[in-house]
Structure formats: structure tokens, C-alpha cells
Amino acid sequence: MSVCLDEQVCKGCGLCVVSCTKQVLKISQKRNAKGASYVEQTDPEKCVNCGICQDICPDLAIWVCS
Ligand code: SF4
Ligand code: SF4
């Protein structure tokens, strides 16, 4: 299971990272076109598709996709 991310929309606020109960999200070292360090999923196999990250993101940048 995994989530999808629009890395160009993500502003790297970290809300989803601290809200994920499975701790499978982290802020990347890479930056998007806006200069923001965007989020990435570290262990897709541990994701339970709970949707918490999707619900908490203020910019609709992350969503459950499988
Ligand atoms: S769907 Fe749930 S488990 Fe998966 S990355 Fe989002 S908050 Fe974490
Ligand atoms: S996906 Fe949304 S909540 Fe997560 S860091 Fe990016 S902007 Fe913040």
C-alpha cells in the first residue's frame, strides 16, 4: 500500500510526517521547483492506507492511491 504525492505542491510542512502512525513518511533532501523539501514515503509496505496524511495535508499534496 502506498500514497501518492505531488512533489511540486508539497511545501514540506511536515504535518503528514508527524501524523503518520506508521512513521513511513519523511522530508526528503531533494527540493521541488519552489525550493521546498518535499515529503517522501520510506516504507510503502508498512503503509496501512489509513488516509490520515491525506486528511491533514492543507494543500492536498498527498493522497491514498493504492
Ligand atoms: S495512509 Fe496512513 S500509514 Fe499510509 S503514509 Fe498516510 S498516514 Fe501513513
Ligand atoms: S504532503 Fe502536505 S502535509 Fe505533508 S509535508 Fe507536504 S504539504 Fe505538508
Side-chain angles (χ1 to χ4, degrees):
M1 297 179 176
S2 64
V3 289
C4 292
L5 173 83
D6 189 333
E7 60 190 44
Q8 295 303 327
V9 174
C10 176
K11 59 189 177 189
C13 67
L15 278 175
C16 60
V17 176
V18 298
S19 300
C20 176
T21 57
K22 297 303 176 183
Q23 300 177 320
V24 297
L25 300 174
K26 72 168 189 176
I27 300 296
S28 170
Q29 297 296 315
K30 296 171 279 190
R31 293 178 184 268
N32 61 21
K34 295 185 293 189
S37 298
Y38 53 86
V39 77
E40 63 184 9
Q41 191 170 25
T42 55
D43 296 298
E45 70 279 4
K46 294 180 182 174
C47 173
V48 294
N49 279 16
C50 66
I52 291 174
C53 55
Q54 174 178 306
D55 292 342
I56 205 162
C57 177
D59 297 282
L60 307 178
I62 191 168
W63 62 94
V64 173
C65 61
S66 64

